[in-house]
Amino acid sequence: MFRRSLPSLAVCALFLAPQAAFCGGPRWVAGSGYFDPSVKGRPVVWKNGAVSYYLDRGDLSPSTDSGQAAAMVAAAASAWNQVATAAVNLSPGGLLDEDVNGSNVFLNSDGALQMPADIQSTATGKPVAIVFDADGAVINTLLGPGASDPSDCRDNGVITLVDNLGTDATIRHALMVLNGLCAGNRGQLAVMQYQIMRGFGRILGLDWSQANEEDFASHNITSDDLAGWPIMHPVEYLCQFSSAFCSPDLSALRYDDIAALNRLYPVTAANISSFPGKVLTAPATISLQGTIHFRNGQGMQGVNVVLRPVLPGTNLPDVRYTVTAVSGAFFQGNAPNPVNGAVDTQGDPVNEYGSDDASLEGWFDLSGVPLPAGTNIADYQLSFEAINPLYAANNSVGPYQKGQVTPSGTMPVILLHGLTAGTQTVEDIVIQDSANQQYSGDDGTETAPARIPPSGEWTGRITGYGHTAWFDWPVRPYRELTVEAQALDEDGRPTLNKAQVVLGAWNGSDAPGSAPVSGTSQAFNGAQTGLTTLSVATVAPGHLRLGIADARGDGRPDYLYHARLLYADSVTPTRISLAGGPITIRGVGFRPNAVVTVNGVRAVVTGVTPTEITAIAPPANGKTGVVLLTVSDPQTLGVTAIQDGLSYDALGGDALGIVTAPYGPVGLGVWTPFTVKALAADGQTPAAGVIVTFSVTNGAAVLGCGQPVCSVLSGGDGLASINVAANTLSSAQVTASLSDDASVMTEFTGSGTPVIAALTPNLYIAADASFLWAPQAEVLNNGTPVSGQQVNWSASTGAVAAMASSTSNAGGTATGQINVGPLAAGTDVPVSACLSPGPQCAAFHIYAVHSGLAQLTAVSGAGQSLSASQTPAPVVLRVTDAAGHPMAAAIVTFYETLVQWTPDCPAQGRCPSAPTLATQAVQASSGADGLVTLVPVTGNGVPTRLYVTAATGNATSLSFEIEQHP
């Protein structure tokens, strides 16, 4: 088995590495995703420590022939071979079969890489191939045009790639390319030899190391710092390719390099015979191992553990002999998470490196440490530090390749006395002021997610290795929402150095273990420090299942985050006039800085709570129909949108139905109401606030507005009405229509000139109720209203005319007064209005209907949200019978509960208590038009919430809330 990483060509500052390389201590540790299970947890090294390298047949550069280049490579290898306590030997094995150059390393027309067989990853018979790239052509082919530019020799002077790792945790092949464009003079060759040493360290399987960096940050570099500055540091700070300023003694390994090599390749009784002149590692060196823990017992991974001898007679550490290791270097630094899945972008398992043995999570290994030169006993200082957060990806130090994690709590300094060669010491350290939170299960599971708090914001932790938090929220279709999670440090400040939060969204019905419908490919893609955001669009009603995880599949008690669901659920009213007007948006996650746009135009925001925004929508500017409504956060750039919930005028799918209309023969000049009801697409919900256009579409007729086309705004119950009259004896057609092309029409014919007509011909009254009705009749002469005419009123049994006659006014209207009821359900009482003198009469009817089947609809004022200083508008409801006729004399009871205003429930803990300020029940009787009015109780300037339930009939009720916020 072998691994090929060359085609991916993942580039680092100095060296190439396999795309999913594990780092920390050893460069790679066998994991569970690729290697044989029997070697899981072992460092990946060369078998038996013997490594042969094979040299290019060509020259390195015009000024450096192959012999000089071979000597330079041998000198670099010798630095590693000379470590007396390391069972390693880098030796020349001979020559490659060819001069490797641009003629035999190139890309085909299809982009496939062509190269000689004996430098490919499968050429394990020549395990290390060293190429002399005289003109930079090989590097340009591997890394792209211009990659060998001599202005960047610090980074491209030596390119190293380990491209074959066996499943038995052995390294099987590597490639090193020397850039001939960086070998033009003696100074350049000295630096290149240093780079080759670093390249051999990587080929041997050593990780980068952080040692003696504290003085570099303050630019206070001493000669002692440089003496302890490891060859295997991740980024070259000092050596410029001109060699004008560089670390002293470039050819010598430091103690940190030696100790790391000893740990990977110890000389033991079993192998010492293969390495003449070398000594057993353990008896000749110090061994210090241990584990660093959080207070809850979990191992603390990714801490740089530093061991230094103490200068005699002082407590000061001697930085010349600094040795480091990283806690958790043998534990997996990358594991699957439900958002990003189990494989990387190349299809390789993300957990192929590092053991999954939890006991190794905070374990560190500082064995193989040589005593200071000339001593056989020494006191040592053991300290702990964070790893530079810039050391990530191919420059990573330790197991966290995707980003370093700042340690939790105060790192101790420990003095170890009298350590001698062969000493084996164990130190288990608990950081007493570290994070202590343990996973409590209060953030759900994939199959039983927790509910997102009512405010839409909460703080949580990704605690316990590999933990994922799961949440649920109901959503409507055609909404866009944003999920945000900002990583925090232990003081609650945004950070890049703790959790790397990734977010995934699933449909609530998706099977456990399925891939997310939408997810973040990487953490920190937001506009603020530590912020990860995810946008989700919904296409059907259902539930959003949200997963929150660490990008590394990690989980620790110091992985704190603050999350928000920014979601606009609904807007009322759903239809607004072309002039714009007030709207209320309900949802979660709203903040005071919210920006609202309607059809791309900014609205005026008048109030914001976490769950509600009030605003004034702008004028339509010629737009009708459905418009996009958005709520955005200018700081986080989060956006939520409602695509189909708001329109200027009619929404798509709105319909019209006729309630009353003139039909058939009608008297000339007699005004008859044409009433229609606008309904939403469901065919049941009233469409309030839409423009109903009445127009004469055939023949001749008169509309109440005096024009051939009139517009009427529907009420809260969807009703719109206009008076219509025939003015000729020919047929006429009047059409009512909406802007979405829904329409209804009525046809009628003028049938002569009556002298009196009923304007309000019918009354529908609740059975067993009494009511004073004021019917109206119109007196006409050749279609023209006549004033001053006496009209006599009479009624059949069940009703009594309160006055025998009335006189028509200037508009020809005469109004009667009829005492009605009580009547049994189903009763029909005729009423007459007759001219005096003369036999001409107009007929009216009173119908008694079942009050138990009454229905309630809101006309206006229900669901208001305003400031405490404003006065709520009266609430108007309409009572109708089972057939939709307005019902008179129906008793409606309003149950009002006024409570003190409180903010929405917090993300954690109990909801705030809302003291009750007043309760009352108010009754009202509906008029002839079925309308009842409530004047809401208020807090007289105190912020309140008024909860109202209106009830009538047997089981009909309508509930709404009026909020007066601060």
Side-chain angles (χ1 to χ4, degrees), residues 16-272:
L16 289 174
Q19 183 70 16
F22 178 92
C23 300
R27 186 178 182 183
W28 302 287
V29 170
S32 57
Y34 165 71
F35 296 91
D36 188 280
S38 64
V39 298
K40 184 171 62 175
R42 291 186 192 175
V44 181
V45 296
W46 291 92
K47 189 174 183 179
N48 300 324
V51 186
S52 297
Y53 60 83
Y54 291 77
L55 299 173
D56 198 338
R57 290 181 178 271
D59 292 334
L60 177 58
S61 72
S63 60
T64 306
D65 61 26
S66 59
Q68 293 172 292
M72 181 171 58
V73 172
S78 176
W80 298 100
N81 294 337
Q82 290 175 4
V83 178
T85 48
V88 66
N89 183 34
L90 296 163
S91 60
L95 298 176
L96 297 172
D97 295 339
E98 62 283 306
D99 173 10
V100 182
N101 55 51
S103 69
N104 49 34
V105 178
F106 58 91
L107 298 177
N108 284 338
S109 58
D110 62 358
L113 177 64
Q114 297 296 309
M115 57 196 306
D118 62 343
I119 69 170
Q120 294 183 23
S121 62
T122 53
T124 56
K126 295 181 179 179
V128 177
I130 298 181
V131 173
F132 302 151
D133 188 13
D135 59 1
V138 174
I139 292 175
N140 289 340
T141 298
L142 296 179
L143 305 184
S148 65
D149 193 311
S151 65
D152 194 25
C153 287
R154 184 187 69 174
D155 293 330
N156 65 17
V158 175
I159 304 297
T160 304
L161 174 64
V162 177
D163 53 11
N164 190 335
L165 304 181
T167 57
D168 59 350
T170 60
I171 305 171
R172 296 187 174 181
H173 189 267
L175 176 67
M176 181 185 291
V177 184
L178 311 187
N179 187 352
L181 301 179
C182 299
N185 56 56
R186 182 178 298 177
Q188 288 184 327
L189 291 175
V191 174
M192 180 171 283
Q193 180 174 320
Y194 168 66
Q195 292 178 324
I196 297 170
M197 285 176 59
R198 285 163 58 82
F200 273 131
R202 295 295 270 176
I203 288 174
L204 286 168
L206 271 69
D207 187 22
W208 298 125
S209 171
Q210 174 178 296
N212 288 2
E213 291 212 352
E214 57 270 21
D215 288 337
F216 284 84
S218 61
H219 303 287
N220 185 28
I221 307 168
T222 68
S223 59
D224 285 351
D225 289 323
L226 295 177
W229 179 248
I231 297 296
M232 297 305 296
H233 60 81
V235 178
E236 179 52 72
Y237 286 100
L238 298 176
C239 286
Q240 304 300 318
F241 209 74
S242 64
S243 193
F245 176 60
C246 202
S247 180
D249 197 1
L250 291 180
S251 62
L253 299 180
R254 302 328 197 239
Y255 266 48
D256 190 68
D257 305 311
I258 294 170
L261 189 67
N262 287 340
R263 290 194 287 273
L264 285 186
Y265 299 94
V267 180
T268 66
N271 65 18
I272 191 170

Side-chain angles (χ1 to χ4, degrees), residues 123 218 236 333 377 417 465 591 598 653 679 718 777 789 810 833 884 895 898-899:
S218 61
E236 179 52 72
I377 186 171
H417 297 284
Y465 191 83
R591 292 178 179 171
V598 178
L679 296 170
Q789 300 298 304
Y895 299 94
L898 186 70
V899 301

Side-chain angles (χ1 to χ4, degrees), residues 666-672 751-761 775-794 804-809 811-816 831-844:
V666 298
L668 290 175
V670 178
W671 292 105
T672 304
S751 63
T753 307
V755 294
I756 188 169
L759 293 180
T760 56
Q776 291 184 328
E778 184 177 24
V779 181
L780 300 146
N781 182 13
N782 294 322
T784 302
V786 179
S787 63
Q789 300 298 304
Q790 180 178 328
V791 176
N792 297 324
W793 297 88
S794 62
S805 64
S806 61
T807 303
S808 62
N809 62 19
T813 301
T815 303
V831 174
S832 296
C834 301
L835 283 177
S836 179
Q840 295 92 348
C841 297
F844 298 79

Side-chain angles (χ1 to χ4, degrees), residues 95 133 168 229 255 292 314 385 401 438 481 594 628 651 667 715 730 767 832 916:
L95 298 176
D133 188 13
D168 59 350
W229 179 248
Y255 266 48
I292 181 170
T314 73
E385 64 185 14
Q401 185 186 26
Q438 299 190 51
L481 58 91
L628 179 68
L651 274 167
S730 61
S832 296
T916 300

